[in-house]
Amino acid sequence: MSQCTEGPHTHPVEERLRTLFICSLDGDSAAYHVFLQDLARHVRALLRKRLPNLRDDVEDVLQEVLIAIHKGRHTYRRDEPLTAWVHAILRYKLADFLRARARHEALHDPLDDFPELFAESEIEPAEIRRDLGKLLDTLPDRQKLPILHVKVEGRSVEETARATGLSEPAVKVGVHRGLKALALKIRGGGKA
């Protein structure tokens, strides 16, 4: 056992982790192994507090943090507190995770959230087309075209992407945001 890993674990977290990490930077692989185990426990606890409703994602974010620390270990300045450096990496990885999750959720919202826009009506088809055309004309093309192709013409998202030059995620987002804007206009909510 090296002097970095031996003895009781009575040191405060910062001192213990910093000692182990500096020993590992100096070539002590056993210290690095203990450092990673201790750090994982510390970061996991922090993530569980910050992601209480996303327990299944804690381990994925933890792995991203540990990988970032491993890859960036050469950037650590020995005169700085280790936990501040670790927490900065944790904040960035957590922000990346939350941004990616928000994008993922936005792209997977159901496209049929607003059935009242396309409900059966007793109005003549010509009137419906005219009114729908007027409503769609109030939207920017990045919303109008996806709605026209996907919802009115019944094309797939893939076909719409090819026809409009938009990406498939942009088509989905355009439909979702456009329908939301139209629903607000129909309900009298004003501008979207």
Side-chain angles (χ1 to χ4, degrees):
M1 222 183 222
S2 78
Q3 68 182 40
C4 293
T5 56
E6 64 189 15
H9 301 283
T10 58
H11 302 300
V13 173
E14 167 66 28
E15 184 181 337
R16 176 167 169 71
L17 288 175
R18 189 173 177 282
T19 300
L20 288 166
F21 191 61
I22 288 175
C23 286
S24 74
L25 292 175
D26 292 338
D28 186 337
S29 60
Y32 192 55
H33 180 75
V34 174
F35 165 77
L36 288 175
Q37 288 178 331
D38 286 4
L39 181 67
R41 275 193 298 277
H42 177 70
V43 171
R44 186 179 291 111
L46 292 171
L47 287 170
R48 284 181 177 157
K49 286 179 188 171
R50 292 188 182 187
L51 302 171
N53 298 324
L54 302 172
R55 289 278 204 216
D56 294 343
D57 296 307
V58 166
E59 290 302 313
D60 292 338
V61 178
L62 172 62
Q63 291 307 311
E64 290 297 319
V65 171
L66 293 177
I67 289 168
I69 287 169
H70 177 75
K71 287 181 177 178
R73 66 190 181 278
H74 67 281
T75 66
Y76 173 67
R77 294 195 325 235
R78 293 174 185 234
D79 59 332
E80 302 267 326
L82 178 74
T83 51
W85 180 73
V86 167
H87 286 212
I89 292 170
L90 172 62
R91 276 192 305 276
Y92 285 117
K93 289 300 175 185
L94 194 54
D96 287 348
F97 165 75
L98 293 172
R99 269 194 302 276
R101 183 172 174 82
R103 274 193 307 271
H104 177 77
E105 287 174 356
L107 293 176
H108 290 88
D109 280 346
L111 294 179
D112 297 321
D113 281 348
F114 306 100
E116 68 273 13
L117 292 175
F118 302 99
E120 290 294 318
S121 172
E122 295 177 14
I123 303 171
E124 292 297 317
E127 287 179 63
I128 293 173
R129 276 194 297 278
R130 185 191 71 231
D131 292 343
L132 183 58
K134 284 181 185 177
L135 274 173
L136 287 174
D137 285 342
T138 66
L139 298 175
D141 282 349
R142 67 183 180 279
Q143 294 173 354
K144 177 173 83 173
L145 294 175
I147 289 174
L148 202 58
H149 289 291
V150 173
K151 290 299 188 178
V152 176
E153 296 173 4
R155 293 185 184 187
S156 71
V157 170
E158 184 181 343
E159 291 170 320
T160 301
R162 279 196 306 267
T164 62
L166 297 169
S167 68
E168 289 183 33
V171 169
K172 291 177 184 179
V173 169
V175 169
H176 179 75
R177 289 182 181 165
L179 290 177
K180 201 174 208 174
L182 290 176
L184 277 175
K185 289 175 189 296
I186 289 171
R187 292 179 189 137
K191 294 182 179 181

